[in-house]
């Protein structure tokens, strides 16, 4: 998603794929479509092989993967920069009744209902 919290692309995958591997699937899909992307923010769960893979992409065009890490010195809840954007968008999407639980039997229908809910959110913003 972009810095406004609007979805640029999504990839729903099965539970046997780790999130960082799923991110690679999404970035492969978005690599050609969103050539204007310069920085991608991710949390520490995406550190490791994904950072190396994005560094390999750097050879083809300039792109940076920033890992937003939580400071170990802070105890309790702390809002981290850029990560709250994703959580806020998840909150918007959870207001959709169909997305409140996982009713879908295929990843394609899950992706479709997320896009429908996001289209509704964006249309409501335009209508204001």
């Amino acid at each position: 998603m972009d810095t406004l919290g609007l979805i640029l692309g999504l990839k729903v995958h099965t539970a046997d794929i780790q999130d960082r591997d799923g991110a690679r699937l999404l970035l492969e899909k978005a690599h050609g479509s969103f050539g204007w992307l310069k920085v991608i923010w991710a949390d520490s769960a995406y550190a490791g092989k994904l950072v190396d893979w994005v560094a390999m992409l750097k050879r083809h065009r300039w792109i940076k993967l920033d890992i937003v890490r939580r400071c170990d010195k802070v105890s309790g809840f702390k809002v981290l920069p850029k990560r709250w954007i994703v959580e806020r968008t998840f909150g918007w999407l959870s207001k959709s009744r169909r997305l409140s639980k996982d009713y879908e039997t295929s990843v394609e229908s899950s992706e479709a209902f997320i896009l429908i809910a996001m289209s509704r959110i964006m249309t409501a913003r335009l209508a204001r």
Side-chain angles (χ1 to χ4, degrees):
M1 56 193 62
D2 64 3
T3 54
L4 295 175
L6 304 177
I7 292 177
L8 296 175
L10 74 119
K11 180 71 178 162
V12 176
H13 54 78
T14 57
D16 63 341
I17 298 175
Q18 282 195 358
D19 285 344
R20 84 186 90 180
D21 299 329
R24 185 174 171 180
L25 296 172
L26 177 65
L27 290 174
E28 285 174 350
K29 183 176 160 183
H31 181 63
S33 302
F34 300 105
W36 47 267
L37 286 176
K38 301 287 185 216
V39 179
I40 299 171
W41 289 293
D43 66 10
S44 57
Y46 295 94
K49 293 180 184 179
L50 185 64
V51 174
D52 298 334
W53 185 78
V54 170
M56 191 253 335
L57 281 180
K58 235 181 193 181
R59 291 183 218 150
H60 304 292
R61 66 180 184 88
W62 191 89
I63 191 167
K64 181 181 177 188
L65 178 65
D66 270 350
I67 304 295
V68 180
R69 297 186 189 277
R70 188 175 71 91
C71 181
D72 291 332
K73 297 175 186 174
V74 177
S75 63
F77 178 76
K78 171 88 169 97
V79 176
L80 297 175
K82 306 302 178 197
R83 281 186 46 187
W84 66 270
I85 296 169
V86 175
E87 300 302 328
R88 179 187 63 188
T89 303
F90 287 156
W92 293 341
L93 291 173
S94 68
K95 290 180 182 177
S96 174
R97 185 180 66 81
R98 187 70 185 231
L99 298 176
S100 65
K101 304 269 188 297
D102 189 13
Y103 296 111
E104 310 312 319
T105 57
S106 69
V107 294
E108 291 83 10
S109 62
S110 291
E111 288 179 0
F113 278 108
I114 292 170
L115 291 174
I116 290 168
M118 198 67 215
S119 297
R120 190 180 120 283
I121 292 167
M122 291 188 292
T123 303
R125 277 193 186 179
L126 287 172
R128 276 192 256 168

